[in-house]
């Protein structure tokens, strides 16, 4: 009895759910105590300088060209993320549906940018090699 009382007094559990998608809604429906008997902390949006420093850290290993080009790209990512946040407010007003952007969404944006950049570079290098091969064929005497 003493042991159970101490556990009830001192045990704290932290559950982290993303509001994105149907998972949280389904869990809240199945287990109403998740909402009724808990404290829900909604995190405030990241400030622009935090988005900038996170983007800068995650893009530090990627070749982005000159320092000026790198700076422009690193500054554009937080701007685009904030533009999406503003667009979600308008979307909620017009469509009466919520769209959530989370820190994970920002990290996914950076990851997607890196994947698309690599794909574009591989496509460009394939096109360059095809062009070189074609030019070498044209230069060969018949």
């Amino acid at each position: 009895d003493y042991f159970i009382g101490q556990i009830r007094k001192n045990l704290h559990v932290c559950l982290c759910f993303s509001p994105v998608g149907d998972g949280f809604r389904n869990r809240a429906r199945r287990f109403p105590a998740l909402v009724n008997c808990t404290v829900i902390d909604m995190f405030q949006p990241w400030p622009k300088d935090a988005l900038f420093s996170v983007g800068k850290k995650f893009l530090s290993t990627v070749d982005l060209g000159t320092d000026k080009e790198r700076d422009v790209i690193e500054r554009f990512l937080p701007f685009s993320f904030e533009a999406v946040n503003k667009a979600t407010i308008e979307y909620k007003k017009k469509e009466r549906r919520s769209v959530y952007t989370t820190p994970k969404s920002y990290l996914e944006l950076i990851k997607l940018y890196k994947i698309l950049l690599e794909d574009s570079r591989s496509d460009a290098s394939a096109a360059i090699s095809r062009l070189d091969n074609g030019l070498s064929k044209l230069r060969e005497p018949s």
Side-chain angles (χ1 to χ4, degrees):
D1 211 27
Y2 171 76
F3 180 70
I4 292 176
Q6 288 297 320
I7 288 176
R8 284 185 180 152
K9 181 179 174 186
N10 296 315
L11 181 66
H12 300 281
V13 177
C14 178
L15 298 173
C16 298
F17 294 102
S18 174
V20 177
D22 294 331
F24 181 70
R25 184 180 319 126
N26 292 336
R27 285 185 189 94
R29 241 186 259 133
R30 275 191 237 137
F31 308 105
L34 281 176
V35 177
N36 297 336
C37 302
T38 60
V39 174
I40 298 177
D41 288 332
M42 294 297 217
F43 294 100
Q44 299 299 316
W46 283 5
K48 194 170 187 172
D49 59 335
L51 292 171
F52 175 73
S53 64
V54 167
K56 189 171 185 165
K57 180 185 181 316
F58 278 90
L59 292 174
S60 64
T61 59
V62 179
D63 177 27
L64 297 175
T66 65
D67 288 340
K68 186 177 180 182
E69 291 166 339
R70 172 177 290 281
D71 186 54
V72 168
I73 292 168
E74 288 172 347
R75 292 193 184 285
F76 176 74
L77 288 173
F79 168 77
S80 65
F81 190 70
E82 286 185 337
V84 169
N85 286 337
K86 290 176 185 171
T88 60
I89 294 169
E90 290 299 316
Y91 182 75
K92 185 170 182 170
K93 287 178 186 175
K94 290 180 182 175
E95 301 294 327
R96 291 188 226 137
R97 293 185 64 194
S98 296
V99 176
Y100 298 100
T101 56
T102 63
K104 175 105 170 108
S105 305
Y106 184 65
L107 297 176
E108 289 294 324
L109 169 71
I110 295 170
K111 182 179 174 184
L112 177 65
Y113 177 76
K114 289 163 80 171
I115 290 170
L116 292 175
L117 180 65
E118 184 61 35
D119 288 349
S120 295
R121 285 182 175 166
S122 65
D123 290 347
S125 68
I128 290 169
S129 67
R130 278 195 313 271
L131 182 63
D132 282 342
N133 288 337
L135 288 174
S136 66
K137 298 282 184 191
L138 289 173
R139 288 183 185 133
E140 287 178 2
S142 304

